[in-house]
Amino acid sequence: MSARILVVDDIEANVRLLEAKLSAEYYQVSTASDGPTALAMAASDLPDIILLDVMMPGMDGFTVCKKLKEDPVTRHIPVVLVTALDGRADRIQGLEAGASDFLTKPIDDVMLFARVRSLTRLKLVIDELRQREASGRRMGVIAGAASRLDGLGGRILIIDDNERQAQRIAAELSIEHRPVVESDPDKARISAGGPVDLVIINGAAKRFDGLRFAASLRSTERTRHLPVLAMVDPDDRQRMVKALEIGVNDILPRPIDPQELAARVKTQIQRKRYTDYLRNNLDHSLELAVTDQLTGLHNRRYMTGQLDSLVQRSTLGGDPVAALLIDIDHFKKINDTFGHDVGDEVLREFALRLASNVRAIDLPCRYGGEEFTVIMPDTQLEDAMRIAERIRMHVAGSPFRVAQGRELLTVTISIGVSATLGEHDSPEALLKRADEGVYEAKASGRNAVVARVA
């Protein structure tokens, strides 16, 4: 899995060494020698990962990282700080500036590539979600800004067989979050499937395999995107690399430093809320793409796709398909007399009555304007006629209360009914026959159901 990596360091030898290592693994590498250049390149090139030296003249790496995270254009790009410093205060400062992790000079190649691969996987997911959200915004089906994208108040599941360590972590986190401790991996697996923002696992647990548990979270659909922090001894290089390879989001070095714990937890929860926001927007945009916003019924686009597959199955010897095409009588007169607001009320009320008078397997849709369809799988023409008559009677049988209850309108409908004829039928022919039935119902005085066989 390749990626575009921006290497930032004021010492040319360091830049060339990293560039050579990454290029040998087929990563695309660009370089910058100072903070301002790095900021400009990040905004214009949008790399997948930034490897950023801390000790640079003028603008140091902490400042550059903070500016990257403050800019909406670059805040989603993972930043790994590369430093000769290995002090607690420097790690905390970097995490609070928004860094994803640290690499200490001299750089361990195995850790370098493990971290790069891990962050590349994460970046690919976020990029795909962001692109889909952007498409939704261009189509006008996504609007508004994200809410609650901070990293506080998270629901955290701590899985650890070391009770003293787990309780100490829970006590630290309870200041700003809602932690729960679980020592039984079977019970923890159930809890992880609930409303959890972050899982912290003891990667060196004695009574269960913490990394195997983390791997099981990644292989289960419901928990696949749940962020995981693994507590690992920093000297256990092999376990740290394996944790990153199986999909652990971040490593929490032992012994646990409270401030570093708080910073890493905040980063992971903030990232989860952002990706949840993107996924929810995507789900919403997909729903809007197939739903009529006024009535809540499926739209013509969705109906067409479903009808095509049902009719194709029917022509190959499957169950028959029936279609109702429904037109609200004198709807233009309603709009002209009472206004479009009342017309919209009539459409919404009709959609409710329609949906409540068809079967669970039927597909009621708004076809366009005041026209509606019902696609009816496994339905003979006679059965479709009976259901159509029930809909007609329910609509005409009681007036529509509109204009905030001030007006009562008698509404009637004309319905055309058709059903598939055999192997040479088509969706277009099925709907055309139903449409002819509507015209015949209107010509005969409206408020009628007419079936067309051919």
Side-chain angles (χ1 to χ4, degrees):
M1 183 184 299
S2 186
R4 293 171 298 115
I5 301 176
L6 173 61
V7 176
V8 187
D9 197 318
D10 63 312
I11 299 176
E12 186 176 356
N14 293 342
V15 171
R16 297 305 168 210
L17 179 60
L18 266 177
E19 184 178 17
K21 290 180 178 180
L22 293 166
S23 297
E25 295 295 321
Y26 302 101
Y27 291 103
Q28 298 178 38
V29 183
S30 56
T31 65
S33 59
D34 58 70
T37 303
L39 291 173
M41 291 181 65
S44 62
D45 300 343
L46 297 178
D48 296 309
I49 299 171
I50 298 174
L51 299 181
L52 177 61
D53 187 42
V54 170
M55 302 300 291
M56 295 188 296
M59 186 184 295
D60 65 20
F62 298 131
T63 305
V64 174
C65 184
K66 187 176 180 181
K67 288 183 177 294
L68 288 167
K69 297 304 173 180
E70 289 172 347
D71 186 344
V73 175
T74 57
R75 67 172 51 146
H76 63 285
I77 302 173
V79 177
V80 178
L81 293 177
V82 181
T83 177
L85 306 173
D86 196 23
R88 164 184 176 273
D90 298 305
R91 289 203 309 274
I92 293 169
Q93 184 178 354
L95 290 167
E96 289 178 345
S100 296
D101 206 356
F102 293 85
L103 289 172
T104 304
K105 297 178 182 178
I107 294 176
D108 182 322
D109 289 359
V110 175
M111 285 303 300
L112 167 66
F113 292 120
R115 176 49 76 184
V116 165
R117 285 191 292 268
S118 174
L119 291 174
T120 300
R121 288 194 299 267
L122 173 66
K123 178 68 164 38
L124 285 174
V125 171
I126 292 178
D127 279 354
E128 183 175 357
L129 292 172
R130 291 178 73 248
Q131 288 169 7
R132 293 184 180 183
E133 189 210 25
S135 297
R137 288 191 182 279
R138 285 194 297 271
M139 292 187 296
V141 296
I142 293 177
S147 62
R148 191 64 195 279
L149 292 186
D150 58 32
L152 304 178
R155 295 158 294 187
I156 302 171
L157 176 62
I158 303 166
I159 307 169
D160 195 348
D161 60 350
N162 183 333
E163 184 178 353
R164 184 175 178 183
Q165 176 178 260
Q167 291 300 333
R168 188 167 62 249
I169 293 172
E172 293 289 348
L173 293 176
S174 63
I175 300 170
E176 295 182 328
H177 303 280
R178 292 169 287 165
V180 174
V181 175
E182 184 56 72
S183 59
D184 184 336
D186 293 328
K187 293 180 181 178
R189 191 169 285 105
I190 296 171
S191 299
V196 175
D197 294 312
L198 175 67
V199 174
I200 299 177
I201 300 175
N202 184 355
K206 293 182 172 56
R207 293 203 294 269
F208 62 89
D209 188 335
L211 297 190
R212 188 173 298 279
F213 185 92
S216 73
L217 293 179
R218 286 291 171 264
S219 62
T220 303
E221 181 66 30
R222 193 170 182 181
T223 57
R224 183 162 295 159
H225 303 296
L226 189 60
V228 177
L229 279 180
M231 294 181 281
V232 179
D233 189 324
D235 295 330
D236 193 345
R237 177 171 166 274
Q238 183 177 358
R239 191 178 295 271
M240 291 175 69
V241 171
K242 180 58 68 176
L244 293 170
E245 287 178 349
I246 64 175
V248 165
N249 297 76
D250 200 1
I251 302 297
L252 195 59
R254 300 168 59 193
I256 307 300
D257 179 274
Q259 280 187 274
E260 184 171 350
L261 168 68
R264 290 186 186 273
V265 164
K266 182 179 179 180
T267 296
Q268 292 303 321
I269 292 177
Q270 196 167 20
R271 185 176 291 156
K272 177 182 184 293
R273 286 176 176 164
Y274 178 58
T275 55
D276 284 350
Y277 161 74
L278 293 175
R279 286 192 180 93
N280 290 338
N281 265 348
L282 175 60
D283 291 343
H284 182 58
S285 66
L286 291 174
E287 181 181 349
L288 289 178
V290 297
T291 303
D292 175 62
Q293 294 185 53
L294 178 64
T295 64
L297 300 178
H298 285 299
N299 61 19
R300 184 171 181 169
R301 175 191 297 176
Y302 182 80
M303 181 277 295
T304 300
Q306 297 299 307
L307 181 61
D308 286 350
S309 61
L310 288 169
V311 171
Q312 183 180 21
R313 193 179 308 155
S314 177
T315 59
L316 295 175
D319 296 325
V321 181
L324 311 183
L325 193 59
I326 307 167
D327 191 274
I328 299 176
D329 296 330
H330 302 297
F331 185 73
K332 184 177 184 301
K333 185 177 178 181
I334 295 173
N335 273 338
D336 292 343
T337 304
F338 298 97
H340 289 280
D341 288 346
V342 168
D344 288 349
E345 288 185 65
V346 169
L347 293 174
R348 283 192 290 264
E349 174 61 22
F350 172 73
L352 286 173
R353 297 193 188 194
L354 177 63
S356 63
N357 279 279
V358 296
R359 305 165 303 177
I361 64 170
D362 297 333
L363 184 64
C365 307
R366 187 180 180 191
Y367 196 63
E370 68 272 23
E371 286 189 309
F372 293 78
T373 59
V374 181
I375 306 304
M376 312 176 78
D378 191 15
T379 305
Q380 302 285 352
L381 186 66
E382 296 78 9
D383 296 324
M385 282 284 293
R386 188 174 62 254
I387 294 171
E389 183 61 26
R390 184 174 70 204
I391 295 168
R392 185 197 67 78
M393 291 177 62
H394 187 72
V395 171
S398 59
F400 285 34
R401 190 174 293 276
V402 296
Q404 298 181 341
R406 297 190 303 271
E407 298 282 350
L408 291 176
L409 288 181
T410 298
V411 177
T412 63
I413 55 176
S414 298
I415 306 178
V417 185
S418 63
T420 48
L421 300 176
E423 59 180 302
H424 299 298
D425 212 350
S426 69
E428 295 78 15
L430 180 70
L431 290 175
K432 187 175 187 299
R433 293 195 299 273
D435 191 41
E436 290 170 351
V438 171
Y439 277 104
E440 188 174 332
K442 287 183 173 295
S444 66
R446 294 181 167 84
N447 191 23
V449 175
V450 174
R452 292 300 296 263
V453 178

